[in-house]
Amino acid sequence: NAGVTQTPKFQVLKTGQSMTLQCAQDMNHEYMSWYRQDPGMGLRLIHYSVGAGITDQGEVPNGYNVSRSTTEDFPLRLLSAAPSQTSVYFCASSHSGQGRVQPQHFGDGTRLSIL
Amino acid sequence: KNQVEQSPQSLIILEGKNCTLQCNYTVSPFSNLRWYKQDTGRGPVSLTIMTFSENTKSNGRYTATLDADTKQSSLHITASQLSDSASYICVVSENAGNMLTFGGGTRLMVKP
């Protein structure tokens, strides 16, 4: 049971480039979400999904897009990378009943640097 | 504005000792409170989750308490081990769990 798998683990981008952070879970969880974690700050919710085909914005959605075509996958797209998006990104999932965006299982993160 | 304050920011203890981490919140209406452990370079791992009616919950050597009247929670670690070195994050959920507020975490270092 792999849990929540994030790829890549590390990435360096130049300002203006775009990329997709991948997230997959094998627990058949309905809820998935993306967070960013910055030094000295708590985790902040970017986008979340309550099921395939349904997504919504979190606290800091600007500059990011998501889609949920399957239960298993929830990719996060950076449209035009900016240095302010340098951060560690975590994907999380949970069963229904834990709250709409209550994370139960986290991936190990993608460490992203924007030059 | 909902806030979750954790203290201390960092803590160093000797292996085998006990310690208590604090979490104070202003989130209302309250739904539940969860403690996570985050090892360096890893994602957070859920330790305990408590609803309004629960005062205490244990997970091995970890015991969380909740006082919903004073809006305070604590995480007590008994007989600390080197593997307890990590950041501990308190997360409070508003009613129905639609919104979460994360604390900034307490960084614990256990020394031999």
Side-chain angles (χ1 to χ4, degrees), chain A residues 35 37 42-43 90 98-104 106-108 111, chain B residues 32 34 36 38 41-44 46 93 96-98 100 102-103:
Chain A
Y35 294 84
Q37 187 175 40
L43 286 152
F90 289 100
Q98 298 287 333
R100 297 190 71 182
V101 291
Q102 179 76 264
Q104 186 177 4
F106 281 87
D108 280 337
R111 284 142 189 84
Chain B
N32 58 60
R34 196 189 288 259
Y36 292 90
Q38 184 175 21
R42 303 298 299 274
S46 179
S93 167
N98 285 347
L100 299 175
F102 285 79

Side-chain angles (χ1 to χ4, degrees), chain B residues 26-38:
Chain B
T26 62
V27 175
S28 182
F30 174 86
S31 176
N32 58 60
L33 184 149
R34 196 189 288 259
W35 283 94
Y36 292 90
K37 177 189 179 190
Q38 184 175 21

Side-chain angles (χ1 to χ4, degrees), chain B residues 1-7 22-33 35 50 52 55 65-74 90 92-94:
Chain B
K1 180 182 177 181
N2 290 333
Q3 287 187 313
V4 176
E5 301 284 345
Q6 292 189 242
S7 62
Q22 298 291 341
C23 173
N24 297 338
Y25 62 92
T26 62
V27 175
S28 182
F30 174 86
S31 176
N32 58 60
L33 184 149
W35 283 94
M50 290 183 291
F52 184 88
N55 299 118
T65 63
L66 174 65
D67 186 334
D69 291 332
T70 62
K71 298 187 177 182
Q72 295 180 325
S73 176
S74 64
C90 173
V92 182
S93 167
E94 281 187 49

Side-chain angles (χ1 to χ4, degrees), chain B residues 5-108:
Chain B
E5 301 284 345
Q6 292 189 242
S7 62
Q9 281 191 322
S10 61
L11 181 64
I12 301 174
I13 62 173
L14 293 176
E15 187 179 12
K17 298 296 186 182
N18 304 334
C19 68
T20 299
L21 314 180
Q22 298 291 341
C23 173
N24 297 338
Y25 62 92
T26 62
V27 175
S28 182
F30 174 86
S31 176
N32 58 60
L33 184 149
R34 196 189 288 259
W35 283 94
Y36 292 90
K37 177 189 179 190
Q38 184 175 21
D39 293 317
T40 300
R42 303 298 299 274
V45 174
S46 179
L47 294 175
T48 64
I49 181 169
M50 290 183 291
T51 59
F52 184 88
S53 59
E54 295 175 296
N55 299 118
T56 184
K57 185 164 282 189
S58 292
N59 179 358
R61 295 179 295 103
Y62 301 102
T63 299
T65 63
L66 174 65
D67 186 334
D69 291 332
T70 62
K71 298 187 177 182
Q72 295 180 325
S73 176
S74 64
L75 180 69
H76 186 75
I77 304 174
T78 304
S80 61
Q81 300 176 359
L82 298 179
S83 59
D84 292 329
S85 295
S87 290
Y88 292 84
I89 302 170
C90 173
V91 183
V92 182
S93 167
E94 281 187 49
N95 197 24
N98 285 347
M99 291 296 296
L100 299 175
T101 304
F102 285 79
T106 293
R107 182 174 295 275
L108 174 67

Side-chain angles (χ1 to χ4, degrees), chain A residues 11-106:
Chain A
Q11 184 70 48
V12 178
L13 292 178
K14 294 181 179 179
T15 298
Q17 287 185 313
S18 62
M19 80 159 293
T20 299
L21 279 62
Q22 302 292 342
C23 175
Q25 53 94 6
D26 60 359
M27 297 170 283
N28 202 32
H29 284 170
E30 297 87 353
Y31 301 121
M32 296 186 73
S33 49
W34 277 101
Y35 294 84
R36 60 179 289 174
Q37 187 175 40
D38 300 298
M41 301 185 72
L43 286 152
R44 292 183 291 170
L45 180 65
I46 304 172
H47 285 285
Y48 66 96
S49 169
V50 300
I54 306 170
T55 63
D56 207 346
Q57 296 182 349
E59 181 184 354
V60 288
N62 293 339
Y64 307 95
N65 274 356
V66 292
S67 60
R68 185 93 179 272
S69 57
T70 66
T71 299
E72 295 77 19
D73 300 301
F74 190 43
L76 177 73
R77 298 183 187 84
L78 277 70
L79 308 173
S80 178
S84 61
Q85 294 178 305
T86 293
S87 187
V88 182
Y89 291 85
F90 289 100
C91 179
S93 72
S94 60
H95 273 302
S96 61
Q98 298 287 333
R100 297 190 71 182
V101 291
Q102 179 76 264
Q104 186 177 4
H105 297 274
F106 281 87

